[in-house]
Amino acid sequence: MFFKKSLIHEIKHLVNDYSKTLSSPIDSFLEQHILSSDFYVILDGSEEVGYYAIHHDELLTQFYIKPSYLKVAQELFSKVIENHTLKSLFVPTCDELFVSLALDKDFHVTKQAYFFQDSHIDLPEKESLQGDIFAPATFDDLIPMQQMCGDFLDQYEYRITNGELFTYYRGSVLLGVGVLEKGRILNGLASIGMFTNEKYRNQGIGRNIILKLRKWCYSHQLEPICGCWYYNEASKRTLESAGMITKTRLLNIKVNPSE
């Protein structure tokens, strides 16, 4: 068997097969790392065995083996580790094979993020916030958003044009920004998130933004998902209060933790 560098569109059928093995969705943070990775198809002669993806030559972001070749999955996984100078692996716990193979290696496991799904529980907005205005961002909002969010966001102009940003105003005061990124690997999903003006935190604004983004997804036939850094307890509480639930973690597994 041998590995051959490939482009993602050339192995799209394998990526689709991989996606069907996941027990829950992945969010845009991991998806972006995957999409900016180098892809390699694993071949047994002319037969496709599976594929893997490596981000910036050091981070393994995907590893998939077709069911008919699972008996050699451990061997192939070891070869991938040996053939590349990997420092770490991004492993979502919804990927049973990847988790199992990584645990076989006794690498150092750290926790990177929570992945959330929608509970589909209808929750009311706070009455005191019902007069606030939530709307798609325009270029008139660019400077206020940049001043408020700073480097929390990037590519503001692109995101506005692409319909990924939403504003949350009370009168002329920008209280927060909503973010929505449609899935590019898993169709029909949208990763949602929010940033709240520091002066107006702990008032339910972040929760309200998530509630409104959930409704926007429903009206556009999209399933809302989201994620947050594992140690950001405030974001986790906000997402849960807005009807998002988590059963999936993203693990950052270090190959040589002493380096």
Side-chain angles (χ1 to χ4, degrees):
M1 293 190 192
F2 63 100
F3 309 142
K4 178 184 175 183
K5 201 165 186 178
S6 179
L7 298 174
I8 187 170
H9 73 266
E10 296 173 333
I11 58 168
K12 183 64 175 177
H13 55 291
L14 291 175
V15 177
N16 290 338
D17 290 344
Y18 159 80
S19 300
K20 294 173 184 177
T21 69
L22 300 177
S23 60
S24 58
I26 59 175
D27 82 341
S28 61
F29 172 79
L30 177 56
E31 188 177 71
Q32 287 168 5
H33 279 78
I34 293 170
L35 291 171
S36 58
S37 295
D38 292 321
F39 288 81
Y40 298 82
V41 63
I42 305 171
L43 296 166
D44 180 10
S46 60
E47 178 74 18
E48 293 177 337
V49 174
Y51 77 96
Y52 61 96
I54 297 180
H55 182 266
H56 288 176
D57 297 322
E58 62 181 32
L59 173 66
L60 187 65
T61 55
Q62 282 192 309
F63 183 85
Y64 170 70
I65 299 296
K66 294 167 67 172
S68 56
Y69 280 90
L70 281 177
K71 64 181 180 181
V72 293
Q74 286 178 307
E75 175 188 345
L76 292 171
F77 186 73
S78 294
K79 286 184 178 180
V80 169
I81 300 297
E82 293 167 5
N83 290 357
H84 297 274
T85 309
L86 296 176
K87 292 184 178 180
S88 55
L89 298 69
F90 265 177
V91 184
T93 57
C94 57
D95 184 342
E96 183 180 356
L97 176 63
F98 202 0
V99 171
S100 299
L101 293 170
L103 292 177
D104 287 340
K105 290 295 185 183
D106 292 324
F107 292 149
H108 182 68
V109 179
T110 60
K111 297 179 280 285
Q112 178 76 25
Y114 289 101
F115 286 169
F116 290 82
Q117 298 169 258
D118 191 6
S119 67
H120 295 284
I121 296 173
D122 188 21
L123 297 171
E125 299 178 16
K126 290 180 66 173
E127 290 187 11
S128 60
L129 302 179
Q130 289 182 359
D132 297 338
I133 304 301
F134 178 81
T138 70
F139 282 98
D140 291 336
D141 304 306
L142 177 59
I143 292 176
M145 287 193 299
Q146 289 176 323
Q147 291 175 338
M148 188 184 75
C149 298
D151 59 5
F152 174 78
L153 290 172
D154 60 3
Q155 299 180 300
Y156 284 88
E157 293 89 346
Y158 168 81
R159 290 179 181 274
I160 292 172
T161 302
N162 207 38
E164 295 183 1
L165 297 181
F166 296 77
T167 55
Y168 188 94
Y169 278 98
R170 181 174 298 159
S172 62
V173 179
L174 181 61
L175 301 182
V177 172
V179 185
L180 184 147
E181 298 172 317
K182 294 179 182 178
R184 295 167 61 191
I185 294 177
L186 303 179
N187 295 325
L189 301 177
S191 289
I192 60 175
M194 80 298 175
F195 186 90
T196 305
N197 189 323
E198 289 185 6
K199 297 178 182 178
Y200 296 91
R201 289 180 179 173
N202 301 312
Q203 297 181 24
I205 292 166
R207 175 182 182 271
N208 232 32
I209 292 174
I210 295 298
L211 288 174
K212 290 179 178 297
L213 287 171
R214 286 177 67 199
K215 291 179 180 178
W216 191 95
C217 287
Y218 300 156
S219 66
H220 291 79
Q221 292 74 53
L222 292 169
E223 179 74 10
I225 60 173
C226 53
C228 72
W229 185 49
Y230 188 84
Y231 299 98
N232 191 336
E233 286 297 322
S235 287
K236 180 175 181 287
R237 287 195 299 270
T238 297
L239 294 171
E240 289 174 334
S241 71
M244 305 303 291
I245 54 175
T246 177
K247 63 178 183 178
T248 304
R249 311 290 182 263
L250 177 62
L251 305 178
N252 188 345
I253 300 181
K254 307 294 184 180
V255 175
N256 294 301
S258 59
E259 294 183 358

